[in-house]
Amino acid sequence: MKHKKLWLSLSSVILLVFVIFIGAGCYFFKMACVPGPKSFLSSSSNKLKKSDPLYKEKLWFKKVNKQKWYINSADNRSQLDANYIPKSGSNKTVIVLPGYMDTKEDMGEYDALFHELGYNTLTPDPRSQGKSEGKYIGYGWPEKDDIKKWIDLVLEKNGAKQQIVVYGLSMGAATAMMVSGLKLPHQVRAFIEDCGYTSVKDEIEHEAQVLYNMPAFPRFPLVEILSGINRIKVGYFMNDGSSVNQLHKNQRPMLFIHGDRDTFVPTKMVYTNYSATRGPKKLWVTPNSKHAKSFADHPKLYRQKIGDFLSQYVK
């Protein structure tokens, strides 16, 4: 009788722990993967300030005419929205990929940079961000297939002589690296990634530790449960969303940029990503820069590094 009561008590405790972990997993899935206000993101004002080191670029973007381009997502469930800004007479296009919860409107200074370098720019809102439809944030893994469709649309509209570069910031950088491992048209010449993570799972684990000060237990089982929920809702396990694995398949040139004071996507990740790629590569770790601040902190050098890199591969 005592053994039966003991087993009953133990089973109840195990069930309770299981229910708590499932509930926590659902909560963290909503926090990480469902669009909406995020308390862990710093709010940014759209108001232009002359003290901003990128004021000129942002002012240009605000005034420039933008074409609207649309595609259906790769799974045909959502319509995706993009800004296209032509550069007169150019046969070069950069596809500019925003970060987590950012939109194409937040990437105006990067559109300006590439326009100044002689490129058309196509800047899409990722699924469920900005004006693009969608239920969940995919952290780059499902979005990589959308970018392939955007590449095909650039060639369809601008012709087969178009030369294409893929640039990404933060989540967009991870997306760019994931795209690099796909079978792509020969017109894709190069990639630039700025502060992208090694894998979705690595980034989620890092944020659980940093934002919630969560120790290894319960972090490990919780992330595994979150990954399982992600598989059901979004269609993939988070460990499958790997920049590193995709970079192993890449033969195209890639420029890696990362701030040496990045704690949101830790700087150490860039060295792993850099080692993984199989194509020509350059690495620039920017001094005293936090997450996604390399351009604002080093505007002239940022432009020069990108211009010098692309001049080797895009004519």
Side-chain angles (χ1 to χ4, degrees):
M1 192 69 172
K2 288 182 179 179
H3 288 299
K4 187 175 181 181
K5 286 183 177 179
L6 181 62
W7 278 110
L8 188 60
S9 298
L10 186 60
S11 298
S12 298
V13 169
I14 292 172
L15 180 61
L16 179 61
V17 170
F18 178 75
V19 169
I20 289 172
F21 269 104
I22 291 295
C26 291
Y27 169 79
F28 283 112
F29 176 81
K30 182 178 180 181
M31 287 294 295
C33 304
V34 177
K38 307 295 179 185
S39 59
F40 52 86
L41 294 179
S42 58
S43 58
S44 58
S45 172
N46 289 327
K47 188 176 179 180
L48 282 174
K49 297 178 181 178
K50 289 189 176 180
S51 59
D52 188 331
L54 301 175
Y55 173 80
K56 181 187 73 172
E57 287 83 0
K58 292 178 181 179
L59 182 63
W60 172 87
F61 175 77
K62 189 175 182 179
K63 293 180 176 181
V64 74
N65 289 326
K66 308 164 189 72
Q67 298 177 16
K68 288 293 184 182
W69 285 17
Y70 304 95
I71 60 168
N72 288 327
S73 59
D75 59 9
N76 287 316
R77 294 179 180 177
S78 309
Q79 186 183 72
L80 307 180
D81 183 291
N83 284 336
Y84 178 76
I85 304 174
K87 177 75 172 182
S88 180
S90 178
N91 69 334
K92 305 180 292 186
T93 298
V94 177
I95 300 177
V96 179
L97 307 181
Y100 179 83
M101 289 308 301
D102 286 335
T103 74
K104 58 187 180 297
E105 307 304 321
D106 297 312
M107 301 301 287
E109 58 266 43
Y110 298 92
D111 288 339
L113 181 157
F114 289 112
H115 194 268
E116 187 178 319
L117 291 174
Y119 290 80
N120 312 301
T121 59
L122 176 68
T123 308
D125 281 332
R127 297 182 189 192
S128 76
Q129 298 182 197
K131 297 292 180 64
S132 286
E133 298 173 347
K135 293 175 67 176
Y136 304 115
I137 301 163
Y139 284 86
W141 189 246
E143 289 87 349
K144 72 184 187 304
D145 300 310
D146 300 334
I147 305 311
K148 190 172 187 302
K149 289 192 70 173
W150 285 118
I151 289 169
D152 291 340
L153 185 62
V154 169
L155 295 175
E156 178 186 323
K157 285 179 172 284
N158 291 359
K161 292 184 178 179
Q162 198 72 191
Q163 301 174 85
I164 297 173
V165 174
V166 181
Y167 169 93
L169 183 71
S170 190
M171 188 185 87
T175 307
M177 290 186 282
M178 292 170 186
V179 171
S180 76
L182 300 177
K183 186 176 181 181
L184 299 170
H186 67 86
Q187 290 93 340
V188 178
R189 296 287 196 249
F191 292 86
I192 303 169
E193 76 86 23
D194 184 340
C195 62
Y197 38 81
T198 48
S199 75
V200 180
K201 185 179 180 183
D202 290 345
E203 180 60 16
I204 293 293
E205 285 184 336
H206 171 74
E207 293 309 318
Q209 182 180 10
V210 171
L211 295 176
Y212 300 97
N213 200 25
M214 195 178 293
F217 186 86
R219 188 173 71 243
F220 174 76
L222 185 57
V223 171
E224 291 299 322
I225 290 169
L226 175 57
S227 180
I229 296 170
N230 196 73
R231 174 66 180 83
I232 295 167
K233 297 281 191 179
V234 189
Y236 75 99
F237 291 109
M238 287 180 163
N239 201 45
D240 294 335
S242 173
S243 303
V244 170
N245 289 346
Q246 291 297 98
L247 287 166
H248 281 313
K249 305 173 193 175
N250 175 52
Q251 301 289 334
R252 289 177 170 85
M254 185 170 292
L255 173 61
F256 296 82
I257 303 170
H258 216 109
D260 71 355
R261 293 191 180 181
D262 194 336
T263 56
F264 194 77
V265 177
T267 307
K268 65 181 181 180
M269 287 189 180
V270 75
Y271 299 106
T272 304
N273 287 330
Y274 179 77
S275 297
T277 192
R278 298 294 181 256
K281 54 190 175 181
K282 283 276 188 180
L283 172 63
W284 180 35
V285 177
T286 58
N288 303 314
S289 291
K290 296 181 179 180
H291 185 67
K293 295 298 183 183
S294 294
F295 188 20
D297 291 343
H298 312 277
K300 290 182 180 178
L301 194 53
Y302 197 94
R303 186 179 293 104
Q304 180 185 324
K305 291 276 188 181
I306 286 178
D308 289 349
F309 175 77
L310 291 180
S311 67
Q312 299 177 68
Y313 308 106
V314 184
K315 306 303 179 186

